[in-house]
Amino acid sequence: MSSWLQKAPFGDSILARFRTSLPVKDEVDIDVCVESFHSHWEQAWTKMQAHQDGTVAVTMDEVNTVLNHTDQLRVLVCWELEQQQGSLPGRLADLFLSNRVPERLLSWSSCCGQFEPLLQSELLRVFEQLLRAGGGSLLEQRALLRPLTALLVRCRSAPAAEQHRRLVLVLAQLCAALQARPALLDLFLGVEPDGSVSSCVVFSLLVEFVHSAGVVGATAREALLRCTRLSADSRPLAEFIVHHSDFCEVLATGLSGLYSALPRTPPAEDEDLPEVDAFVCSLQFCNAVLQTCHPMVSAVLLELVYQGFLVSVMGPALHQSSSEAVVTATTYLELCIRSVDHPGLVRALVRLLLRHRHDGVAVIDTLVQRIAATSRLAVATLSLLHTLLNLNCEDVLLELVLRHLLPCSHLMASQRSRVTETDLYGAGARRLLSLIPACCQPAAAADPRAAAAAWLQCVREARLALTACKLATSRWTYAYDGSDPSPAEAERMTRRRPSSVGSLSLLGMEERGEADGETGGEEAATAAAGTRLSAVVGGGPGGSPVVHSWRLGRLQETGTAAGERAGSPQSDTAADESSPDARHGEQTSNDDGKGVSSNPDSLQSNPDGLGSDGGSEAGSSDASVKSQVWATPPRPRPPRRLAAYAAGPDPYPELDLSEGDVWATPRTSLGASRVGPADDTPRQLGVLAILPDEESSGTESSRGGGGEPVSLSGAEVIGEEVRRDSGAVAGSIDSAEEAVVALGEDGGLAGTDPSLVEDHIPAASGPVEGSQGQSAPDVNSSLQSGIEESDADDGSHVVSLSDLISTHCPSDSEDDGDRPAPVNAQDATSSENATTAADRSAQERSLKPAKDTKETVSPCRDLSTFVERHGGTVRAPPPPPGSAPVSGSGSVPQPPLLSERSAGADTTTAVPTIGPFLLALLERLDRATTNSLQLNLLLMSVISRLAHYPQPLLRSLLLNPTLVCQPSVRSLIQTLGSLKHRIDLATRSVQDAPGLVRWARSRLEARPAAAGVAAPASPGLVQSPAGPGSLPSPVQGLTSGPASLPAQLGGAQTAAAASEGDSGGFSLTGLAGRLRRALPAVSLTMENSDQPRRRPADIISRTSVGPDRPEWDASERRVALTAVLLEQWLAELAAVALEHSVATDRLVFAF
Amino acid sequence: MSRPRATDGDTTRGAPLFRLLPFPAHGTAMDGAGPALVRRGSMRKLLPSVPDQQQQLAMSNQLIDSRTSSPRGAHCYGPFFLEYALLAEYNLLQRQRLPGVYTVPAARTPLVWFGVLFIRQGYYQEGVFRFSVIIPEQFPDGDCPRVVMETPVFHPLVHPETGEVDIRRGFQRWKRNSHHIWHVLLYLRKAFYKIETVQPSNPEAAVMFEKARDMFALRAAECVKLSRDRLMDPPASDDPHSIVFSQFRPEVHEPVRQAMLQPKKEEDLPSGPASAGYSWVQPGTLDIFSKPESL
């Protein structure tokens, strides 16, 4: 700080020209100095006395004279202070104090009228320099302390910026002095009779500048950090901060305010963004405060940040209606996670994702669904998920993956003991390598040396990543090895879990906040965040009136800002909370699942509650209850998001590489059931993104404002109908399922909300499949047995299934018969090459509610796989949107909600599942040939990152090819196998396939150059890794992630990787670096995904890798690029598998 | 006939503490020592910790020239698979902690493991026998690994001229996944405690064991003595990892010994905020964020 201080411009002071520096030398006799002191003081004092009575106006000249003389005094005293080491004041300082120079100057300044600010400012400077020279020693002197405090209080209201600057400087010096001598702290604490601290002028003053821009703000924050550090050891100060200062509120609301100032669209890559810097700076300041302060302070601050910023601003931002805004918000959230490292703050961020519910859906569920969304949204989401995985956080992994694997239901019973098996002889790696597309193989013999070097590189990176991950997860609560906890234990623990179990401490806080908010009177009228904030903190007697009102104003201000930001249509939650109906707001935002109406999960996730529902209530009421829960949000809102988001034209028409947004083609020809982009609530962006525009706008219009009630009753009616048809439907069948089936027959019901129907399409497929038994392709023959099976599992409700099917399936079977055999890879490939138009029409067909229902339900063969995975939907009714079949069809399901998890916990009836997250990843991977390049890169990096985790349940599932899963569970290897198959078929017919592969390689290698950041690629650089096994940069750079080392830089192709990292290409490392530097990452992500597509010809000519071959069409090229990418990724995965096989239990024995 | 003494010969006899070169291999004395050493040890020779492109290229050249790819892999990665398989085997061996058996893979090839066998009971009590394990290139699909004693050993299963121990009798057909190298070493160790005479490699020793047990004991004692006499001799191989014995020199060995006796505690291991993961799952539950926030 002192460095910039010296550079600070003094020229703006009119005193500058009068000021002559006194040449004080070391050898100067102290007596001379004393004499000089006396003479200066005498002259100054004379001038001052002339105006003591205030009758004669002070002139500028007089002020200057006085200041000039006092400045000389200051120089003398400072000189002495610097000379002497002792704590006792020397002669000059003694004179300075005994003459009460500061006090007299201060009192004189009040007589100076217009010159008062100037005098105060100069006085501040004097104090600051004295403090700097003398440290805390002078503070013990009352003659200094009293005027200083008085001056500080007086300056508080000073409007002048210059004075603010000086004030902050003095405060900073003061804090430095206090830190050096914590004992002095008491001098600045205003102690009440009862011993509590009610004021701390230094701290309160500093808080006002915490969000200031420039040097003032930085200095203030630095000084505040010293204070918070002091608070760690000073309980009185900590109590003051918590109860009497608005420090925590200012920080939390400041975050909201700064967030609201962030650009709402992904900014361009190299754009300088002061807003982003300011936001990150503020966030990191919070982080730093948390790391230094007293636990009491951090608890309050964390809660305020969580409620006031994350829940009320970040949460709604993630659920906005425009995809662009959501992409941006996702990226900002990732930026947040990457910017902080205080465990509490990380916890708050993760908690927002895992626990917070927006409109009844956990944020993480929404994110998982977005994996299947448009390319850009999926990219942003995957990037965020990758960052989450990089946290090595048990809670994240438990929620996303491990919870679903713990019951071991995905494995054949005989295989459960094999989970911990070590893959001694690299079977997994061999298998992975064998899945390299054939078109990439022949070249494998070309340059074995480069290949081996690349392989070494790969292996080394894998080892580093694995070691780091193993170390980081070594203190997790469980080992997740199939026995810790065992499936039975896992079941028991999941069962026991009451729906309201939440984070205890935070829950308590929330309740308190709620209560206070109700009684809070006028404060409750302020913005919700403000309400919460003051409520939580308001436990104390309250500050001085001034501070109080100031605080209110502050809160309102920031609250408004936040409202504006998140405001307008998006900020549902914020709006709710700011409404007088605070209660409801609480409930909506209550992420601990207490409110039944707002939390559908509470119904289904509680097995006991479910059982009683099904048992005690008649079918219809039960069904309607559930459908209501799912069909209507806790609080009806105009469905504007759907309209806004889906109706417009796709804002990101993808060019040659990425028609990833469009449905993958294979599905069509496979005749697989197209499970509509089902979603429980139409507000889900991930789903909406997939809706073709025309369709959804139609949907929207038909839906109108009052859609929910209508659709609800429709569902009920249909439910009744079906029950009549099919006999007794016992309790738990979701009425929606019935609704859909019925719809299928009736060809659509007027007045029924089509979107609702769509929402429940997968639900409908659930029971149909459920009745098919495990893996029997023949519908009819297996129907009965399947029913019996499920009947045995859960006797309550399945009887009707057979009726349902017999009633409705004939048409399905016909459909099935008409279609090509489902898993026909030939078709798949040809369809890959099919035009987008075909895609789109198929898509439309599948989305048309009425006639499409049949299609959806029909292809039973495909659906058969559904049973095991989603039988849970049969038992636990409301099937989350997207439980969809996977089997080779390439269909894009909406994965079931994570919150459905507890449904499958019962081991006896456990449904084989690997959880929605893995499912969504594999589904997206299945569409690799249609994904954009960048999406594929991220997807692969996410899966690779998962593979780094040493937990046997996950490791075995991903990397052990000999582990036999339930037939319905598709493993990574299987997905890769079908992908390879499709790629092989597609490339077989391509003319000059080797040339195409060469083109793809050079294209991938040319990317950094294409990004325009790296220097034009030198031929050597580009060609050296052209060897077969060369593991080009992209994947390497990607998977190394932020945690891994820059070790990837070791040679030709790694140089490419490095430059890529620099360019911020698709390398996450680069991205991480950018993010770390608080630069907007969005742009990188976005920009580069587009770039190669924009100018392919340009790239090719620049890298001089042969002429562009026009005979390859876009889809062929896409396939080739995917193939090359896959080759490299498989090598990387193989390396990971190998490293797992030799990973040792103990890490280090160093001596 | 001298009855085997109950005392533990190699440990009570203080003098030669074998020199660790470069790292102790495996066994009870260094149970804490195992894994990490190996990670950094010879098996990793292909994967230098400091990336060096030239070196890597050279080494991969060597690799590719010296061995053809594994038939199964159909890739250039064959040699790597072999190494990983052997490394995994070595990890397995470490977990067994066979008493009195120490092995370390050779520096120049992963296919040779140097070993030393301390016999603590029986006819060969106090013997310190050096041996090599020679692993077939096709491992784990090939034949049973061979074991060759370095010093002549008078034993029914040890060939009097080649020094090869008849291990195959225990592993008629080498089965990957069910047979491991530690089985071989276990078999080797057992052979010195429980003498077998059926189908001997050294019929003389077998006959003597059956007919003239005293004579056999004398001959066994002779080779024990021989093994001890030649303990300090330089090893037969010049491989840097071959096991070398030298007199205990406190200034050299004592610090190492002390360090080994006091393995680092877990909390000393590097763990910072950067390397630490997070867990808020309360033991006994599967609820996220169930652990109270640590303040």
Side-chain angles (χ1 to χ4, degrees), chain A residues 1031-1114:
Chain A
L1031 309 162
S1033 23
V1035 183
Q1036 287 183 0
L1038 257 183
T1039 45
S1040 57
S1044 101
L1045 323 176
Q1048 36 172 323
L1049 328 168
Q1053 71 270 51
T1054 40
S1059 64
E1060 208 162 81
D1062 292 342
S1063 77
F1066 32 66
S1067 146
L1068 268 190
T1069 325
L1071 186 62
R1074 304 287 300 223
L1075 283 166
R1076 275 279 171 222
R1077 278 177 282 137
L1079 287 171
V1082 220
S1083 52
L1084 313 178
T1085 328
M1086 300 313 133
E1087 280 301 301
N1088 291 290
S1089 66
D1090 293 340
Q1091 223 139 17
R1093 270 176 262 134
R1094 268 188 223 134
R1095 308 171 294 172
D1098 187 24
I1099 294 158
I1100 287 155
S1101 62
R1102 275 172 72 185
T1103 52
S1104 66
V1105 187
D1108 194 359
R1109 308 288 284 269
E1111 64 263 31
W1112 298 314
D1113 65 27

Side-chain angles (χ1 to χ4, degrees), chain B residues 15-17 130 227-235 244-248:
Chain B
L17 192 126
R130 272 197 280 227
S227 77
R228 301 188 68 92
D229 288 346
R230 292 170 61 174
L231 197 57
M232 303 292 177
D233 291 356
V244 176
F245 287 80
S246 66
Q247 291 293 339
F248 186 84

Side-chain angles (χ1 to χ4, degrees), chain A residues 259 306 309-320 329 333 352 356-358 363 370 566 570-571 573 641:
Chain A
Y259 186 88
Y306 183 72
F309 170 55
L310 293 178
V311 166
S312 51
V313 175
M314 196 64 113
L318 284 172
H319 295 82
Q320 292 170 88
L333 179 54
L352 172 79
H356 179 61
R357 298 181 160 274
H358 189 88
V363 175
R370 285 177 184 164
Q570 308 98 311
S571 70
T573 307
R641 291 183 190 175

Side-chain angles (χ1 to χ4, degrees), chain A residues 515-535:
Chain A
D516 285 4
E518 274 173 355
T519 58
E522 66 176 357
E523 274 195 9
T526 58
T531 309
R532 194 78 58 88
L533 298 180
S534 42

Side-chain angles (χ1 to χ4, degrees), chain A residues 416-725:
Chain A
R416 293 185 184 172
S417 59
R418 294 190 53 213
V419 163
T420 51
E421 230 172 51
T422 308
D423 179 13
L424 279 179
Y425 305 122
R430 278 175 214 273
R431 183 67 195 280
L432 285 165
L433 290 174
S434 76
L435 294 174
I436 291 177
C439 57
C440 301
Q441 301 255 17
D447 186 0
R449 289 165 196 190
W455 170 251
L456 283 175
Q457 182 71 28
C458 225
V459 161
R460 189 169 50 237
E461 274 164 21
R463 179 166 23 125
L464 289 172
L466 257 57
T467 312
C469 186
K470 189 167 183 121
L471 180 66
T473 61
S474 59
R475 291 182 199 179
W476 279 14
T477 302
Y478 300 108
Y480 302 99
D481 57 0
S483 54
D484 174 32
S486 70
E489 284 170 341
E491 183 210 344
R492 187 173 46 75
M493 289 190 279
T494 311
R495 273 219 173 143
R496 202 164 40 75
R497 188 164 70 124
S499 58
S500 65
V501 162
S503 126
L504 299 172
S505 61
L506 287 170
L507 183 62
M509 293 288 250
E510 272 162 31
E511 281 164 359
R512 207 169 96 211
E514 189 173 342
D516 285 4
E518 274 173 355
T519 58
E522 66 176 357
E523 274 195 9
T526 58
T531 309
R532 194 78 58 88
L533 298 180
S534 42
V536 171
V537 181
S544 69
V546 179
V547 176
H548 190 67
S549 67
W550 175 81
R551 175 199 292 181
L552 262 180
R554 185 92 195 195
L555 286 176
Q556 266 156 352
E557 188 183 298
T558 33
T560 315
E564 276 168 16
R565 155 69 178 169
S568 27
Q570 308 98 311
S571 70
D572 291 336
T573 307
D576 282 350
E577 290 184 352
S578 61
S579 73
D581 188 359
R583 252 223 147 129
H584 197 103
E586 287 292 340
Q587 208 172 33
T588 311
S589 69
N590 179 354
D591 55 10
D592 290 308
K594 288 185 300 181
V596 172
S597 70
S598 68
N599 185 358
D601 192 35
S602 67
L603 257 187
Q604 73 171 57
S605 68
N606 184 347
D608 300 328
L610 185 66
S612 67
D613 273 356
S616 63
E617 290 181 350
S620 74
S621 66
D622 186 36
S624 67
V625 164
K626 277 164 191 133
S627 73
Q628 179 172 21
V629 162
W630 280 94
T632 60
R635 210 174 179 195
R637 293 188 185 103
R640 53 195 170 243
R641 291 183 190 175
L642 183 63
Y645 189 60
D650 183 0
Y652 314 111
E654 306 249 14
L655 300 182
D656 76 335
L657 270 184
S658 62
E659 270 126 340
D661 303 4
V662 187
W663 295 84
T665 358
R667 197 174 331 117
T668 352
S669 62
L670 286 181
S673 73
R674 171 83 46 77
V675 174
D679 194 1
D680 53 333
T681 58
R683 284 169 303 280
Q684 295 302 313
L685 285 173
V687 181
L688 299 179
I690 305 175
L691 290 172
D693 309 330
E694 324 82 50
E695 285 300 321
S696 41
S697 56
T699 297
E700 198 40 54
S701 60
S702 78
R703 178 179 181 139
E708 282 98 348
V710 179
S711 68
L712 234 191
S713 60
E716 264 174 283
V717 167
I718 300 157
E720 294 292 349
E721 198 175 18
V722 172
R723 260 186 295 285
R724 245 182 290 116
D725 286 347

